[in-house]
């Protein structure tokens, strides 16, 4: 266990003892290259690949340490959770540089570590309740959903069933501790024990609100309930918490988003599918001030649904009580990082968290910590076209108005000076061989599309006009695309999008022109497709 200063000192000492020169800070290009190569697994952090990951983790610790004093929950070699960071940050309080010299932990780290170890079996894949954002002294946490019998009584078989029998990077077996085996021998009290530990951890973190993004009450595979959720716990163990069921489409739905040329407007999830059985359920006292007709949630398109859910989460954490928030889906590595990342970026834009970080730095932190180090399967998602990761950053243009601000006054309009070395190549470094011929990764931000060293001459780009989808355009789209069971098309007229003036926000939708593009230079696209990925220049790698 260590505070921010101790972690920094250990990092410096390690470099000094090896006699090697201090390595250059990892850039976004290196991060995305590693992210696109493999799913993060804590136990694989060794050798050449491990050194890259270790640099990414150290960079995250340094960025957290700019504004916070923190302790560390140790997860070396993935002993607690295989797809959580090796060094899990527990933010304690905001601090200045002077305060870091007198850092005193406000938490019993040994007790926290013990609670984590005991509670990990309560949730899917051991992905326990983990605090990731500190706002107004409240912990915003993430996790997977509750584990069911299928996992508690055989994680190896569970992983095989849950993954459809695929031999992929996340269907590996995890060793069971002696305590796990002891729990198996007592069927009657199994859930009381493991979920009791989970509840103790939630209370230790002062979490009161639990937001469940699952569209099902229990995940069913081949007729077997493999996971559960707090909202259907028969013993009502979570009755003291405020439970919110806010069903949101899983990563498979984002294949439809990609197939529609990255246009989320008018794309509606098909709520009539057989497995969808979790209705939206939110206590009235949390919705009265939002002026949203929640009864119409099944008619919302992907933009409206994401906007309204984000408004709800911001409203919860911005209320006057001292209670924290937990956000989770099933495994906690697709929908969960989407909303955690949006919360982090939105609060940062208001100047309420990570106040010293520049745009390039907060972008690096959320990609590295919220997505990569918490196990998002980018390689798999890109290969299937399930581009929820791209949607997250492309969606930022839809939340620049005051209604998404946690401030009572006007939202911050200017951004800190960007790093001189932050280029377009940094944000879209994936080589064509890494991403396939039709899948690209990158969200073109206004902060990098202006002239920047190294960007000029690397490739050309043009501004994409985001126009409303008229009846003629939608009709043409229907002729060439068939709707899958995952989605439905909405015929309502599309509202014009908010335009982002220069320097006023984090994103501005643009697209690169490419010799392989089927679109002429004069064609204005309805969607916001990712940039073609250039080959990295050596000076930026």
């Amino acid at each position: 266990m260590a505070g921010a200063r101790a972690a920094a000192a250990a990092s410096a000492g390690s470099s000094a003892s090896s006699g090697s020169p201090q390595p250059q800070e990892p850039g976004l290009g290196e991060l995305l290259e590693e992210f696109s190569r493999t799913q993060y697994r804590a136990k694989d952090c060794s050798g050449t690949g491990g050194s890259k990951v270790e640099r990414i983790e150290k960079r995250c610790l340094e960025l957290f340490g700019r504004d916070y004093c923190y302790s560390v929950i140790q997860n070396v070699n993935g002993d607690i959770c295989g797809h959580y960071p090796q060094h899990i940050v527990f933010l304690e309080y905001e601090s200045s540089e002077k305060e870091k010299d007198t850092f005193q932990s406000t938490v019993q780290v040994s007790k926290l570590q013990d609670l984590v170890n005991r509670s990990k079996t309560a949730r899917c894949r051991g992905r326990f309740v983990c605090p990731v954002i500190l706002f107004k002294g409240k912990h915003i946490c993430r996790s997977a959903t509750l584990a069911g019998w299928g996992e508690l009584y055989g994680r190896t078989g569970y992983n095989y069933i849950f993954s459809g029998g695929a031999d992929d990077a996340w269907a590996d077996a995890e060793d069971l501790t002696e305590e796990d085996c002891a729990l198996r021998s007592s069927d009657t009290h199994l859930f009381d024990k493991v979920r009791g530990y989970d509840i103790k951890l939630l209370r230790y973190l002062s979490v009161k609100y639990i937001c469940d993004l699952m569209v099902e009450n229990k995940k069913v595979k081949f007729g077997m309930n493999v996971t559960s959720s707090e909202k259907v716990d028969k013993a009502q163990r979570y009755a003291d918490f405020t439970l919110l069921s806010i069903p949101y489409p899983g990563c498979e739905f984002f294949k439809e988003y990609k197939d529609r040329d990255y246009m989320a407007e008018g794309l509606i999830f098909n709520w009539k599918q057989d497995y969808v059985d979790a209705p939206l359920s939110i206590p009235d006292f949390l919705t009265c001030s939002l002026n949203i007709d929640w009864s119409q949630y099944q008619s919302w398109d992907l933009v409206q649904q994401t906007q309204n859910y984000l408004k709800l989460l911001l409203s919860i954490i911005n209320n006057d009580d001292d209670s924290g928030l937990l956000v989770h889906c099933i495994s906690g590595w697709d929908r969960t990082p989407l909303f955690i990342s949006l919360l982090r970026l939105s609060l940062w834009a208001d100047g309420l968290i990570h106040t010293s970080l520049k745009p390039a730095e907060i972008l690096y932190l959320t990609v590295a910590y919220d997505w990569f180090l918490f196990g998002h399967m980018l390689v798999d998602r890109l290969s299937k076209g399930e581009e929820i990761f791209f949607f997250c950053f492309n969606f930022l243009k839809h939340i620049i108005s005051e209604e998404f601000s946690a401030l009572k006054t006007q939202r911050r309009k200017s951004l800190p000076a960007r790093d001189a070395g932050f280029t377009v190549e940094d944000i879209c470094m994936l080589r064509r061989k890494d991403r396939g011929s039709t899948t690209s990764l990158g969200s073109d931000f206004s902060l990098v599309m202006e002239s920047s060293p190294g960007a000029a001459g690397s490739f050309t780009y043009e501004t994409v006009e985001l126009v409303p989808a008229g009846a003629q355009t939608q009709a043409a789209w229907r002729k060439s695309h068939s709707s899958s069971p995952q989605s439905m098309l909405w015929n309502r007229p599309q509202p014009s999008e908010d335009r982002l003036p220069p320097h006023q926000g984090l994103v501005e939708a643009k697209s690169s022109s490419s010799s392989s593009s089927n679109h002429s230079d004069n064609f204005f696209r309805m969607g916001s497709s990712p940039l073609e990925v250039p080959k990295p220049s050596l000076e930026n790698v």
Side-chain angles (χ1 to χ4, degrees):
M1 304 304 164
R5 293 182 69 246
S11 174
S14 175
S15 298
S17 62
S18 64
S20 59
Q22 186 72 19
Q24 185 179 3
E25 289 182 347
L28 189 61
E30 178 182 330
L31 168 61
L32 289 176
E33 190 170 36
E34 183 67 18
F35 197 5
S36 67
R37 185 183 67 83
T38 184
Q39 183 190 18
Y40 171 82
R41 293 194 292 186
K43 67 180 181 180
D44 291 341
C45 293
S46 60
T48 303
S51 64
K52 290 181 180 179
V53 175
E54 288 170 1
R55 291 177 63 200
I56 292 171
E57 288 202 74
K58 289 178 181 178
R59 177 64 169 157
C60 289
L61 293 177
E62 188 271 327
L63 293 174
F64 277 119
R66 297 272 190 90
D67 299 289
Y68 299 93
C69 282
Y70 63 83
S71 294
V72 172
I73 302 172
Q74 297 291 354
N75 183 39
V76 179
N77 296 321
D79 292 340
I80 306 174
C81 180
H83 295 110
Y84 272 12
Q86 286 200 102
H87 307 288
I88 300 170
V89 174
F90 181 83
L91 301 176
E92 299 200 37
Y93 51 86
E94 293 184 76
S95 62
S96 63
E97 286 300 320
K98 292 182 179 179
E99 290 173 323
K100 289 183 174 65
D101 293 331
T102 59
F103 170 70
Q104 292 184 345
S105 180
T106 60
V107 66
Q108 299 179 33
V109 183
S110 60
K111 180 177 181 180
L112 178 60
Q113 186 94 31
D114 181 64
L115 281 173
V116 164
N117 275 292
R118 291 176 179 273
S119 66
K120 64 177 182 178
T121 54
R123 293 192 175 265
C124 178
R125 305 182 193 282
R127 294 173 67 87
F128 58 89
V129 176
C130 184
V132 288
I133 299 174
L134 184 66
F135 174 62
K136 292 185 175 181
K138 309 171 187 179
H139 290 293
I140 301 174
C141 306
R142 62 182 294 170
S143 74
T145 192
L146 295 178
W149 290 103
E151 181 170 9
L152 289 175
Y153 280 92
R155 187 165 293 164
T156 303
Y158 162 77
N159 276 338
Y160 182 83
I161 293 172
F162 191 83
S163 63
D167 183 20
D168 55 27
W170 55 283
D172 55 316
E174 298 179 22
D175 294 333
L176 295 172
T177 64
E178 292 183 4
E179 182 181 28
D180 296 333
C181 297
L183 287 173
R184 288 183 176 186
S185 65
S186 180
D187 295 355
T188 305
H189 303 292
L190 177 64
F191 282 129
D192 285 338
K193 287 184 178 180
V194 296
R195 293 186 181 175
Y197 289 137
D198 181 65
I199 290 171
K200 286 183 179 179
L201 178 58
L202 286 166
R203 288 174 176 165
Y204 190 78
L205 298 172
S206 298
V207 170
K208 177 181 179 182
Y209 304 98
I210 300 177
C211 293
D212 183 353
L213 295 164
M214 294 170 61
V215 298
E216 46 287 88
N217 287 321
K218 295 182 179 182
K219 184 66 177 180
V220 178
K221 280 285 186 178
F222 305 112
M224 177 181 181
N225 291 332
V226 290
T227 71
S228 184
S229 63
E230 300 89 352
K231 60 182 179 282
V232 292
D233 181 60
K234 293 180 179 179
Q236 296 292 303
R237 299 175 185 88
Y238 293 85
D240 291 338
F241 298 88
T242 301
L243 305 180
L244 298 88
S245 175
I246 50 174
Y248 190 83
C251 61
E252 300 87 356
F253 184 64
F254 289 84
K255 175 68 162 60
E256 307 296 328
Y257 166 68
K258 176 181 180 294
D259 289 347
R260 295 189 73 218
D261 199 18
Y262 303 94
M263 188 182 73
E265 297 88 340
L267 180 61
I268 301 178
F269 181 69
N270 182 3
W271 298 96
K272 298 187 183 299
Q273 297 173 85
D274 292 340
Y275 71 95
V276 178
D277 60 357
L280 184 138
S281 177
I282 308 171
D284 291 340
F285 74 93
L286 292 175
T287 62
C288 57
S289 62
L290 293 177
N291 194 29
I292 296 172
D293 185 358
W294 295 96
S295 66
Q296 299 299 310
Y297 78 97
Q298 293 188 355
S299 67
W300 296 339
D301 65 9
L302 187 57
V303 171
Q304 286 179 302
Q305 188 177 24
T306 310
Q307 286 178 326
N308 289 339
Y309 284 8
L310 183 60
K311 288 179 186 178
L312 175 65
L313 297 177
L314 287 169
S315 175
I316 291 173
I317 64 175
N318 204 32
N319 60 25
D320 294 329
D321 67 20
D322 297 323
S323 302
L325 167 71
L326 169 65
V327 178
H328 75 76
C329 50
I330 297 178
S331 291
W333 54 32
D334 288 303
R335 290 167 284 186
T336 297
L338 166 65
F339 283 99
I340 291 295
S341 190
L342 290 176
L343 283 172
R344 192 184 301 279
L345 292 171
S346 183
L347 293 173
W348 168 83
D350 286 333
L352 298 174
I353 62 173
H354 303 294
T355 55
S356 70
L357 298 191
K358 299 175 183 178
E361 292 170 334
I362 190 65
L363 176 61
Y364 184 97
L365 181 63
T366 192
V367 171
Y369 199 74
D370 296 331
W371 291 89
F372 174 58
L373 294 177
F374 273 86
H376 178 65
M377 299 168 57
L378 183 60
V379 181
D380 177 80
R381 301 304 184 244
L382 287 176
S383 69
K384 296 177 180 177
E386 299 168 353
E387 298 201 28
I388 188 172
F389 177 68
F390 172 71
F391 172 79
C392 175
F393 298 98
N394 191 41
F395 177 76
L396 294 174
K397 64 178 177 282
H398 295 293
I399 59 172
I400 62 174
S401 63
E402 300 300 323
E403 59 186 328
F404 297 98
S405 175
L407 291 170
K408 302 301 181 183
T409 57
Q410 190 174 22
R411 166 167 265 188
R412 182 172 63 177
K413 291 295 183 183
S414 61
L415 296 175
R418 65 182 184 273
D419 293 333
F422 185 67
T423 67
V424 171
E425 285 89 341
D426 286 327
I427 197 169
C428 42
M429 182 64 73
L430 298 185
R431 297 180 177 88
R432 185 176 299 275
K433 66 181 179 61
D434 292 325
R435 62 182 176 85
S437 60
T438 60
T439 303
S440 60
L441 172 67
S443 179
D444 191 11
F445 295 83
S446 59
L447 63 98
V448 299
M449 287 309 294
E450 302 165 16
S451 58
S452 60
S458 299
F459 65 99
T460 59
Y461 53 85
E462 59 180 334
T463 301
V464 173
E465 187 70 24
L466 296 175
V467 298
Q472 182 177 0
T473 308
Q474 286 198 354
W477 186 87
R478 284 193 188 87
K479 291 179 181 179
S480 59
H481 294 74
S482 59
S483 180
S484 79
Q486 282 278 335
S487 64
M488 298 184 294
L489 286 176
W490 197 6
N491 290 316
R492 70 170 179 83
Q494 301 299 318
S496 60
E497 295 188 10
D498 291 332
R499 303 299 297 176
L500 179 61
H503 305 293
Q504 289 195 2
L506 195 58
V507 286
E508 182 175 349
K510 298 184 180 181
S511 175
S512 64
S513 61
S514 169
S515 60
S516 62
S517 173
N518 294 326
H519 306 285
S520 69
D521 290 343
N522 296 322
F523 182 78
F524 291 107
R525 304 172 66 180
M526 288 163 33
S528 301
S529 61
L531 291 168
E532 286 292 337
V533 179
K535 292 192 178 296
S537 58
L538 293 178
E539 62 183 5
N540 291 319
V541 175

